[in-house]
Amino acid sequence: MRIALYPGSFDPVTLGHLNIIRRASRIFDRLCVCVMVNSGKQPMFTLEERADMIRRTVSRLENVVVETSEDMLVKYAKDIGADIIIKGLRAMSDFDWEFQMALARKIIEPEIETLFMASSSKYTYLSSSVVKEMAKYGADLRDFVPREIMGDILARMGK
Ligand code: ADP
């Protein structure tokens, strides 16, 4: 069974993330979406809140599971038997850092491959930060995030 891991901070999950989840879930037997800590960012939602929001949006995808972890990415991948890490690429600006990290992971854990999936052109502009910026002003979020979680974001922003 081929297990792939799609890691990220997903603070919160966007339609861009969901697009990658759907497409990756068609390629692999099982896709584990893991909400992880990004020490460089101050999160709006806890790891569990973020995982719960993703679970609500992927409940119909039978081979997708959603977990949280504070571990190192390659260690977590190994623990769950995933030998593929999926990364979504929006633009060249994502590439530099992701490429460096993929090479570093390969040194630590040579058996694990990183696969880059190109963002759908519809969502290349979209990031969790864009969503938070829009939500601050109570904007309509329907073009940015799954409808199941729109209320959670606006409520957290006090809107
Ligand atoms: P961000 O805060 O930038 O949205 P995340 O850590 O939550 O970043 O992203 C998790 C993964 O999803 C990363 O591989 C990232 O490149 C990818 N990703 C984020 N937004 C999109 C998008 N709009 N389209 C495709 N991939 C994306």
Side-chain angles (χ1 to χ4, degrees):
M1 182 155 85
R2 196 107 235 202
I3 305 174
L5 173 62
Y6 178 42
S9 37
F10 307 108
D11 185 46
V13 66
T14 68
L15 291 178
H17 296 131
L18 191 58
N19 176 262
I20 298 281
I21 294 172
R22 284 218 177 92
R23 288 160 57 204
S25 73
R26 288 190 212 117
I27 302 173
F28 301 99
D29 300 311
R30 191 179 172 88
L31 178 70
C32 176
V33 180
C34 188
V35 184
M36 304 197 93
V37 178
N38 180 339
S39 48
K41 293 183 189 166
Q42 184 60 40
M44 176 158 85
F45 294 98
T46 66
L47 287 182
E48 266 316 316
E49 285 171 334
R50 286 178 255 161
D52 174 67
M53 288 191 282
I54 305 172
R55 283 189 194 108
R56 275 188 268 141
T57 68
V58 301
S59 57
R60 269 167 299 202
L61 301 175
E62 281 172 8
N63 63 339
V64 175
V65 292
V66 183
E67 305 288 352
T68 64
S69 172
E70 298 189 39
D71 242 338
M72 192 182 182
L73 177 53
V74 279
K75 181 174 181 306
Y76 181 75
K78 224 173 160 210
D79 286 350
I80 65 162
D83 55 2
I84 310 261
I85 290 171
I86 308 280
K87 287 282 181 170
L89 287 184
R90 283 162 290 195
M92 284 307 283
S93 51
D94 278 344
F95 182 76
D96 268 354
W97 172 249
E98 292 296 355
F99 187 55
Q100 261 183 293
M101 288 304 290
L103 295 181
R105 284 195 292 271
K106 200 83 182 134
I107 293 170
I108 295 172
E109 209 47 80
E111 301 296 306
I112 297 181
E113 295 291 347
T114 299
L115 284 192
F116 294 111
M117 282 184 81
S119 166
S120 153
S121 57
K122 255 163 69 182
Y123 300 124
T124 43
Y125 72 92
L126 188 54
S127 68
S128 300
S129 315
V130 164
V131 169
K132 284 182 270 196
E133 192 59 27
M134 297 295 160
K136 246 195 244 172
Y137 303 98
D140 184 346
L141 300 180
R142 84 179 77 171
D143 289 330
F144 307 134
V145 300
R147 64 185 152 68
E148 295 88 341
I149 68 159
M150 276 190 315
D152 299 62
I153 302 167
L154 293 172
R156 185 59 49 101
M157 290 292 184
K159 296 290 167 190

